[in-house]
Amino acid sequence: MKIGVYFCKCGTNISDRIDPQKVMEEITKLKDVAYFETVDFLCAEEGKEFLEKDLKKKKPMRVVIGACSPRDHEKTFMNVLSKAAINPYLMQMVNIREHVAWVISDICKASDKASAYLKGAVARVQLHEPLKPEELNVCPDVLVIGAGPAGLKASLSLTEAGRKVVLVEKNPVIGGMPVRYEEIFPNMECGPCMLEPMLGDVLHGDNSENIELLTLSEVVEVAGYLGNFIVKIKQLPRYVNPEKCIGCRECIEPCPVSAKNEFNCSLDERKAISFAFSGGLPNFPFIDDEVCLRTKGENCRLCEDACIVDDAINFDDKKKVIERNVGAIIVAVGAELYDCSNLTNLGYGKLPNIYTSLEFERIIASNGPTEGEIQGFGKNGPRSIAIIHCAGSLDKNHIKYCSGTCCQSAFKFNQFISKKLPNTKIFHFFKEISVPGKETFQLYNKALNNPDSLFIRYRNINEIDVSIENGRLAIHYSFSSGKRCKSTADMIILCPPIIPSSDTAELGSILEIPADRYGFFEELHNRVDSVQSKLKGVYLTGSCQSPMDIQNAMNQGLAASGYILSGLPEGKKLEIEPIIASVDEERCSGCRVCILVCPYKAIDFDEEKAKATTNSVLCQGCGTCVAACPAGVIKGNHFTAEELLAEIQGVLT
Ligand SMILES: Cc1cc2nc3c(=O)[nH]c(=O)nc-3n(C[C@H](O)[C@H](O)[C@H](O)COP(=O)(O)OP(=O)(O)OC[C@H]3O[C@@H](n4cnc5c(N)ncnc54)[C@H](O)[C@@H]3O)c2cc1C
């Protein structure tokens, strides 16, 4: 066999530590090595040009390149081989820079080690097979789970590029958390107004025909892989026909039953037929099965009787399971707040006038339970409001991390309270202040310069005790010096950390994507690839990946759609890397050990044949199944047992 060996000096990086002459003398002794070329910089334009010309002239059957890490330039040299009409998998690259030159100071030892590595490569490359990437037809449609800022932004940018989106939202309304905020930090814009244009675009914008919006829906099953997922979605009946309903609200008043309104954090009640909150979109009501008298066997038709449009109420509506084929999935299911009743010393849930930040958002919202009025303190409102930051964050007994947005909410409340109730004192009880970014720091400065604000740094949340004294809330706390002190307030707002939503674990197991140590969906890489999950074709956006503000949630939605538009191009075929595993069906005993060990869920079991089969799209070629198969019938392309043994033997000769 004619093998060509190329030795890159990498300037002086390699040649200062490894003697090319000595290595050449060793390697050219090998029977199959036809020639040995030394090059200054093989990755430079000149080096690549030389390599291409030399390969075309000498026509080797196999190529060995001794240079830097394959992570840096394996693809570069494979491309040169292709240009020279040589199958790129007939090359073996050896890392003589990081693995040898940079770690061994003795030039003799380094030259011997480089020679040994190259001998291994010469032995194994003879067994290389010409491999070819597989091509796959892909479905360009996208499933977006969750219609908050992240999911909406992703859906709109995808449909703007002509893609079809199936947008699944478990609530009856879209917009996520921010449609429930009266004002949005840092610029104190009206929350519903800021999102309304996006919601309008989803419902009836230029590209809305490309969005299939499924409200009251959840994903229950996912099978398949990048380019070809089959998804099952469970949709609860709404009992209201969106084609007919005009959103006039005539049906609400006559309904005889009520329940706590979860959209207002259970601070008020709603009817069995209701709108989540006024202004919520899409603008038609839903009937809550759990509350409606009809599900309790009664023949109540009061909402239908009151309805001014024929057939807008549809009691025959049924739960459905809808199946869709998509090429990629964007997860945008948001997060929730840490339960403040875990901090028993703060009195939440036991004492009056103590609210979480989200509850306070609803209290001050004009579409909230009190239409924006802070009630119960006479016309001048409360004399003082205490805002307790880090209610459970940065605490080893509760949540260890900082959510990075709670301080901003607290300062948003500061501005709001001062505007609405100018004489109210505002205490900020804080442990740390976190206000990154150019705009948010100004929000902090405004609160700091507000003459009605008082900032108090407490030592530990567990040392705060809230009780009722003389009809007001008494807050006993310790300064960082340990000195105990007391303040009184009429109302307390707790700012708890943002934690993964209760759905995360179940959805994670349906999608087969892992969670990080805090329970958020785990990204592929937290700096370089925070939008990709560990599973190809499933992307993570918004606060289900990590606590974040609306700006970042929207940016992640946009990033995920960018990944899909570039990585899953419409009409194009997907190229699949051929260095993957394959099962010899004839010899497979069907023991399923490979299925248990595969970290990428890339092996299925064919029940009919009782054999394991690998999925070339999901397989990452890690070789775990190859090593685990007790019958040795799984082959890892490019890493066969024969190739590995030959390499070891080559190194040892
Ligand atoms: C009290 C408070 C105030 C805040 N104020 C501001 C502010 O003023 N400015 C700012 O920039 N940020 C603010 N934030 C942060 C802001 O809420 C988040 O950045 C934003 O909500 C993240 O958007 P998202 O799309 O990731 O998630 P979300 O807004 O939570 O949307 C997620 C959507 O997914 C749906 N969903 C959940 N589970 C499923 C499921 N299994 N299937 C289908 N759908 C599902 C939900 O119903 C929801 O519609 C605040 C946060 C809090 C807690």
Side-chain angles (χ1 to χ4, degrees):
M1 184 168 288
K2 182 177 178 182
I3 302 176
V5 179
Y6 294 87
F7 181 102
C8 175
K9 292 191 196 166
C10 193
T12 51
N13 269 306
I14 293 177
S15 57
D16 261 8
R17 298 286 185 87
I18 300 172
D19 179 357
Q21 189 59 34
K22 190 166 182 235
V23 175
M24 184 171 75
E25 280 162 18
E26 277 298 305
I27 298 304
T28 46
K29 282 184 201 156
L30 299 172
K31 159 166 100 45
D32 294 295
V33 173
Y35 63 90
F36 185 103
E37 289 290 346
T38 305
V39 189
D40 281 342
F41 284 107
L42 202 55
C43 65
E45 283 312 309
E46 265 179 37
K48 286 188 289 183
E49 262 174 43
F50 161 78
L51 182 60
E52 187 182 334
K53 275 193 197 143
D54 206 54
L55 290 171
K56 281 179 177 162
K57 190 170 99 195
K58 296 180 176 148
K59 294 192 176 26
M61 292 160 78
R62 298 287 188 274
V63 178
V64 170
I65 295 179
C68 53
S69 163
R71 282 185 76 108
D72 281 355
H73 283 299
E74 190 174 45
K75 277 272 172 284
T76 313
F77 301 137
M78 284 173 83
N79 287 340
V80 177
L81 258 77
S82 294
K83 283 190 191 163
I86 300 175
N87 184 294
Y89 295 90
L90 298 180
M91 175 197 77
Q92 179 67 11
M93 190 170 168
V94 184
N95 184 356
I96 54 168
R97 190 179 67 181
E98 285 87 334
H99 286 184
V100 186
W102 285 355
V103 288
I104 299 177
S105 50
D106 181 316
I107 193 160
C108 278
K109 284 186 185 162
S111 305
D112 288 348
K113 187 174 172 190
S115 302
Y117 277 13
L118 287 165
K119 283 181 191 169
V122 168
R124 69 121 59 210
V125 81
Q126 305 184 35
L127 302 172
H128 280 199
E129 289 168 321
L131 301 175
K132 214 172 152 242
E134 210 181 299
E135 288 198 325
L136 182 89
N137 282 327
V138 296
C139 171
D141 301 352
V142 181
L143 170 74
V144 178
I145 313 172
L152 291 171
K153 191 71 178 180
S155 303
L156 288 172
S157 50
L158 284 163
T159 50
E160 205 179 334
R163 293 301 177 91
K164 287 202 165 57
V165 166
V166 182
L167 177 56
V168 173
E169 167 57 54
K170 82 169 174 187
N171 276 332
V173 285
I174 59 174
M177 305 255 272
V179 281
R180 297 198 249 168
Y181 310 152
E182 183 70 3
E183 290 184 348
I184 302 276
F185 65 70
N187 296 331
M188 308 302 282
E189 285 167 77
C190 153
C193 321
M194 190 184 84
L195 282 171
E196 216 274 331
M198 285 178 80
L199 306 186
D201 280 350
V202 166
L203 296 170
H204 39 72
D206 288 348
N207 303 308
S208 58
E209 76 277 7
N210 281 337
I211 301 183
E212 181 183 17
L213 173 64
L214 300 171
T215 53
L216 293 168
S217 299
E218 283 181 61
V219 170
V220 289
E221 205 179 299
V222 175
Y225 42 83
L226 167 70
N228 193 11
F229 290 103
I230 308 286
V231 182
K232 283 191 183 149
I233 302 149
K234 178 187 76 184
Q235 186 173 45
L236 296 178
R238 194 168 188 124
Y239 302 107
V240 173
N241 185 342
E243 308 294 323
K244 301 271 171 83
C245 177
I246 54 166
C248 69
R249 299 181 156 259
E250 291 293 325
C251 52
I252 311 291
E253 201 48 44
C255 177
V257 277
S258 300
K260 292 265 184 221
N261 187 358
E262 65 276 35
F263 302 101
N264 284 338
C265 304
S266 301
L267 294 169
D268 67 346
E269 296 205 323
R270 61 170 169 79
K271 295 294 184 70
I273 182 163
S274 69
F275 289 78
F277 43 81
S278 104
L281 291 173
N283 180 31
F284 42 84
F286 64 99
I287 294 178
D288 184 345
D289 252 352
E290 310 240 312
V291 185
C292 179
L293 292 176
R294 294 181 63 81
T295 50
K296 297 181 177 68
E298 291 188 35
N299 188 22
C300 176
R301 305 189 86 93
L302 290 171
C303 57
E304 189 185 44
D305 295 343
C307 179
I308 58 171
V309 183
D310 286 345
D311 303 327
I313 305 279
N314 172 17
F315 291 126
D316 295 329
D317 202 358
K318 296 259 173 329
K319 182 166 96 180
K320 297 182 205 83
V321 175
I322 300 160
E323 194 174 293
R324 293 287 177 269
N325 180 208
V326 293
I329 299 174
I330 296 180
V331 189
V333 293
E336 56 192 48
L337 291 187
Y338 184 61
D339 183 358
C340 288
S341 47
N342 291 328
L343 297 132
T344 46
N345 49 320
L346 298 185
Y348 176 72
K350 290 184 286 185
L351 304 180
N353 300 323
I354 304 179
Y355 299 101
T356 66
S357 48
L358 190 57
E359 288 168 345
F360 191 67
E361 288 281 0
R362 291 313 290 148
I363 290 172
I364 61 178
S366 40
N367 66 0
T370 55
E371 294 177 350
E373 292 305 318
I374 299 176
Q375 294 174 342
F377 302 97
K379 73 174 177 8
N380 291 330
R383 268 183 285 163
S384 58
I385 296 180
I387 302 176
I388 303 186
H389 298 228
C390 302
S393 348
L394 299 172
D395 191 319
K396 66 176 170 22
N397 297 317
H398 297 281
I399 299 296
K400 287 186 191 150
Y401 54 83
C402 164
S403 301
T405 56
C406 327
C407 286
Q408 299 173 58
S409 298
F411 299 136
K412 166 169 85 172
F413 297 154
N414 180 299
Q415 278 198 50
F416 188 88
I417 294 165
S418 280
K419 195 168 57 183
K420 187 114 179 163
L421 306 162
N423 298 317
T424 302
K425 292 268 170 257
I426 308 159
F427 300 117
H428 284 275
F429 285 92
F430 71 99
K431 184 172 172 183
E432 303 289 347
I433 298 278
S434 163
V435 277
K438 53 181 183 175
E439 301 288 350
T440 40
F441 199 76
Q442 288 185 29
L443 200 69
Y444 168 52
N445 269 341
K446 277 192 188 153
L448 212 51
N449 296 328
N450 179 350
D452 288 322
S453 306
L454 186 67
F455 279 69
I456 301 167
R457 187 169 201 168
Y458 63 84
R459 188 166 65 176
N460 191 324
I461 196 87
N462 299 327
E463 293 170 343
I464 299 183
D465 284 307
V466 180
S467 56
I468 298 279
E469 288 178 19
N470 303 323
R472 300 188 77 205
L473 291 161
I475 305 158
H476 295 262
Y477 57 92
S478 301
F479 285 113
S480 39
S481 61
K483 189 176 162 233
R484 292 292 282 170
C485 218
K486 182 183 105 175
S487 298
T488 44
D490 294 318
M491 184 187 264
I492 295 178
I493 306 166
L494 302 174
C495 295
I498 302 208
I499 59 163
S501 94
S502 46
D503 290 355
T504 310
E506 195 185 336
L507 189 59
S509 75
I510 292 171
L511 293 165
E512 300 194 348
I513 51 173
D516 64 19
R517 65 191 148 136
Y518 301 115
F520 292 97
F521 290 121
E522 191 176 21
E523 61 280 352
L524 191 60
H525 188 289
N526 70 359
R527 300 288 104 179
V528 187
D529 260 325
S530 69
V531 164
Q532 297 215 43
S533 77
K534 300 250 166 171
L535 188 70
K536 270 191 192 171
V538 177
Y539 300 89
L540 309 172
T541 60
S543 48
C544 65
Q545 184 259 318
S546 175
M548 64 182 70
D549 64 8
I550 299 168
Q551 183 190 52
N552 284 311
M554 295 253 187
N555 285 345
Q556 286 206 332
L558 209 51
S561 68
Y563 264 122
I564 292 168
L565 293 174
S566 59
L568 199 69
E570 206 164 2
K572 277 204 183 166
K573 301 204 178 213
L574 208 63
E575 200 169 86
I576 313 288
E577 173 60 62
I579 301 181
I580 50 170
S582 58
V583 180
D584 180 347
E585 278 194 14
E586 294 279 294
R587 291 164 57 218
C588 172
S589 67
C591 71
R592 306 182 199 213
V593 168
C594 51
I595 299 175
L596 289 177
V597 299
C598 175
Y600 300 100
K601 312 280 175 213
I603 310 184
D604 274 336
F605 193 71
D606 184 330
E607 295 288 347
E608 235 170 68
K609 295 185 190 161
K611 307 279 178 195
T613 56
T614 50
N615 183 311
S616 53
V617 183
L618 297 181
C619 180
Q620 306 284 316
C622 70
T624 313
C625 59
V626 181
C629 176
V633 301
I634 306 185
K635 178 179 153 194
N637 280 346
H638 220 63
F639 291 93
T640 62
E642 293 76 17
E643 284 165 347
L644 294 178
L645 281 172
E647 186 168 5
I648 295 167
Q649 270 167 5
V651 169
L652 297 176
T653 48

